[in-house]
Amino acid sequence: MTVHFPFENTYAALPANFFARVAPTPVTSPRLIKLNWPLAVHLGLDPDRLASPEGTEILAGKRLPDGADPIAMAYAGHQFGHFVPQLGDGRAILLGEVIDADGIRRDIQLKGSGPTPFSRRGDGRAALGPVLREYVISEAMAALGIPTTRSLAAVMTGESVLRETALPGAILTRVASSHIRVGTFQYFAARGDTEGVRQLADHVIARHYPEVATTERPYHALLQDVIARQAELLARWLLIGFIHGVMNTDNTSISGETIDYGPCAFMDHYDPATVFSSIDELGRYAYANQPRIALWNLTRLAECLLPLFSEDQEKAISEAQSALAEFAEVFNAAYQAGLRRKLGLFTARESDQALAQDLLDAMAKNQADFTLTFRKLSDAALGPDHDSEVRQLFGDPAAYDEWAARWRQRTADEPQDAATRRTAMRAVNPVFIPRNHRVEAVIEAAVNRDDFALFEELLTVLSKPYEDQPALSAYAEPPQPHQRVLQTFCGT
Ligand code: AMP
Ligand code: MG
């Protein structure tokens, strides 16, 4: 019984300097922790076979499936503003690409599968905790409707990895519409390899942006479209309270998916300055700073593409600037439209921006929980006698009352009835997010007690984030003061 992967490997067909051919390092005794059954089916893979001992060996890098052409991709990147000309997949190996049920090409990559020529001083491995964190949060993001890489499987390797202490080792099978990053472009640009930049750009256009191929200036249109997708992604992050934590250029996907879940986390009470990552001491990647950082990263991409725009450098720069100027427009439009949806507004008025901002300001001042405020506000759409749950989220409930009076005046001008507004609001304001204390509890139980029941339960509740699940309603609750997790750590 062999596991069949219908691989078609286009990245491995690019020139040899785009990657290093390297196979995963076999591990002693792999054990399947989780297989994402529906995702396997969507990818055209047989989940029964993947869950078999042979499938587990593949997911652990112990056995190579037929048709795989395993590579570690080369890339560079700005890490916290400092340029590193060579990073690359130091602990990830791309097995190959498959076409999913929607006709979209997907990379299948093992993360934590052993050293590669890009490992530098790293061991090429991953610990169980970060693998579970990425599994939970990426799948939660997908269920929330946010573009993201997916998690196909998690296996334990049976070996320990040495971090500050010895930890159980694990491998995540990650699925992405591609693993091409801003840093991939930087790798070639930093070497003055304009032909490499062009070949990469052509590959990206064919794979992710085919509609730009026939435009008058395809590379300029490519930059515009990457910018638009990132701007829309960043709006989605802010609207859901997500903090990536390590928005380096090597963690910025060209396809517009959320990628490289490290010390990421969701905000509990609303505070635009929220930072979780232990290594982000200056708050460079704080919640509200994220759009600015995305633009900074896209500016690095634009610099790489300049030689493709025009031989006239001034002309090339002005083309890049005009594309970058669109970021703010696309981001603001997406963010404001999203806020209007969160407030249950069906029409747009200029004053809506101030209405939304005043709620956010009141939430910040009153330590109101971000997710629950909008969820309970959805119920308050039925009328003031449904206010009690949302108003008690505010340190000073009067701050809510004042704002709610204005909100009701505004919604009263629209023809939709209260029930319609509530339904529309509940469809965009989730009740369940991967709260940090829950994620930490999952990791603690798995790592210290080999207990995966909490992991399974959290995945279940997060698979339907917009539906009330009365039996699991405790998962909607913010942490008690003693449960609050203030810092998250990188996967390395
Ligand atoms: P990250 O912070 O996970 O985005 O990783 C940044 C860079 O460090 C990438 O080039 C990774 O491949 C590399 N890296 C991270 N952890 C390890 C590890 N344990 N072994 C080898 N390389 C690693
Ligand atoms: Mg990374």
Side-chain angles (χ1 to χ4, degrees):
M1 204 168 81
T2 56
V3 187
H4 176 63
F5 285 77
F7 281 128
E8 275 184 28
N9 304 328
T10 59
Y11 204 84
L14 288 166
N17 58 333
F18 277 57
F19 52 81
R21 274 211 162 75
V22 55
T25 307
V27 296
T28 46
S29 36
R31 171 179 149 208
L32 184 65
I33 297 300
K34 181 72 185 170
L35 177 67
N36 190 333
W37 218 264
L39 182 59
V41 172
H42 189 72
L43 293 170
L45 308 175
D46 179 341
D48 281 309
R49 292 190 176 186
L50 270 180
S52 72
E54 187 201 320
T56 302
E57 287 189 356
I58 289 173
L59 298 169
K62 196 174 179 180
R63 176 196 291 259
L64 217 50
D66 288 344
D69 191 351
I71 58 170
M73 291 165 69
Y75 53 84
H78 275 90
Q79 299 186 307
F80 289 88
H82 301 287
F83 186 62
V84 184
Q86 181 166 312
L87 289 166
D89 289 332
R91 56 167 169 168
I93 290 176
L94 176 64
L95 290 181
E97 304 153 14
V98 299
I99 310 294
D100 73 12
D102 297 328
I104 297 175
R105 183 176 298 276
R106 303 279 178 193
D107 277 4
I108 298 185
Q109 188 200 59
L110 302 181
K111 188 171 172 184
S113 53
T116 77
F118 303 110
S119 294
R120 293 173 293 160
R121 273 165 297 173
D123 59 2
R125 292 295 179 188
L128 178 60
V131 164
L132 296 181
R133 173 177 282 274
E134 174 152 0
Y135 195 113
V136 167
I137 301 191
S138 65
E139 286 305 298
M141 291 285 270
L144 286 162
I146 297 170
T148 178
T149 61
R150 301 289 305 270
S151 295
L152 177 63
V155 294
M156 285 178 76
T157 59
E159 297 172 3
S160 321
V161 296
L162 203 58
R163 295 297 179 255
E164 264 140 45
T165 55
L167 295 168
I171 296 174
L172 181 82
T173 305
R174 179 162 72 176
V175 176
S177 71
S178 87
H179 286 86
I180 302 168
R181 307 137 192 274
V182 169
T184 319
F185 281 91
Q186 290 180 291
Y187 181 85
F188 299 101
R191 284 159 180 75
D193 181 0
T194 302
E195 210 33 53
V197 174
R198 188 187 309 277
Q199 283 167 318
L200 181 62
D202 289 341
H203 177 85
V204 164
I205 289 173
R207 184 160 180 180
H208 298 298
Y209 299 92
E211 63 284 358
V212 311
T214 50
T215 60
E216 207 177 306
R217 291 179 297 160
Y219 300 120
H220 182 256
L222 169 65
L223 178 62
Q224 281 180 310
D225 282 10
V226 175
I227 287 170
R229 278 198 208 173
Q230 279 289 328
E232 277 161 19
L233 180 67
L234 268 289
R236 306 293 298 268
W237 285 4
L238 262 57
L239 291 164
I240 215 82
F242 177 73
I243 302 162
H244 183 284
V246 199
M247 286 180 69
N248 294 332
T249 56
D250 52 304
N251 295 339
T252 302
S253 152
I254 290 294
S255 76
E257 288 176 338
T258 311
I259 193 171
D260 273 10
Y261 291 86
C264 57
F266 280 68
M267 207 160 50
D268 291 306
H269 67 270
Y270 180 70
D271 174 2
T274 307
V275 174
F276 285 107
S277 169
S278 61
I279 56 169
D280 190 4
E281 285 154 20
L282 299 177
R284 178 181 171 92
Y285 301 143
Y287 169 80
N289 229 13
Q290 296 183 111
R292 221 167 305 154
I293 292 293
L295 178 57
W296 192 90
N297 292 344
L298 291 163
T299 307
R300 307 287 80 78
L301 173 65
E303 287 164 358
C304 298
L305 295 175
L306 287 178
L308 307 189
F309 287 174
S310 170
E311 276 167 22
D312 176 346
Q313 208 187 353
E314 253 172 62
K315 195 160 163 261
I317 290 174
S318 100
E319 275 190 32
Q321 281 170 337
S322 75
L324 290 163
E326 288 169 31
F327 179 89
E329 261 169 68
V330 178
F331 170 79
N332 284 327
Y335 181 62
Q336 295 303 333
L339 282 174
R340 276 199 305 275
R341 281 194 299 273
K342 286 179 88 67
L343 295 182
L345 303 179
F346 293 94
T347 52
R349 278 198 198 158
E350 226 170 282
S351 56
D352 294 342
Q353 189 165 338
L355 184 68
Q357 191 57 50
D358 290 347
L359 175 63
L360 292 171
D361 290 345
M363 288 163 65
K365 221 167 141 188
N366 287 277
Q367 302 254 309
D369 184 81
F370 181 75
T371 305
L372 285 187
T373 298
F374 285 104
R375 183 69 176 186
K376 304 294 184 189
L377 188 67
S378 313
D379 297 330
L382 293 179
D385 44 337
H386 294 265
D387 272 349
S388 70
E389 290 197 34
V390 54
R391 71 190 295 280
Q392 74 192 24
L393 297 169
F394 288 71
D396 173 14
Y400 167 76
D401 296 336
E402 234 169 82
W403 179 86
R406 288 167 55 203
W407 175 56
R408 292 211 160 92
Q409 259 177 4
R410 168 70 179 84
T411 56
D413 289 347
E414 295 185 341
Q416 284 79 8
D417 63 24
T420 306
R421 173 161 290 109
R422 174 175 181 266
T423 304
M425 289 175 74
R426 285 163 58 89
V428 296
N429 292 320
V431 58
F432 298 111
I433 50 155
R435 295 204 182 252
N436 221 355
H437 64 296
R438 294 290 185 176
V439 176
E440 294 293 336
V442 160
I443 292 171
E444 192 277 327
V447 172
N448 298 337
R449 289 179 275 121
D450 197 40
D451 178 352
F452 293 87
L454 284 180
F455 172 61
E456 290 292 341
E457 191 166 79
L458 187 58
L459 286 176
T460 302
V461 77
L462 293 173
S463 67
K464 291 180 180 138
Y466 298 100
E467 284 178 28
D468 290 327
Q469 301 171 55
L472 295 165
S473 63
Y475 280 94
E477 295 302 320
Q480 299 292 321
H482 71 278
Q483 294 175 312
R484 278 181 64 189
V485 179
L486 299 175
Q487 269 200 334
T488 48
F489 299 87
C490 263
T492 47

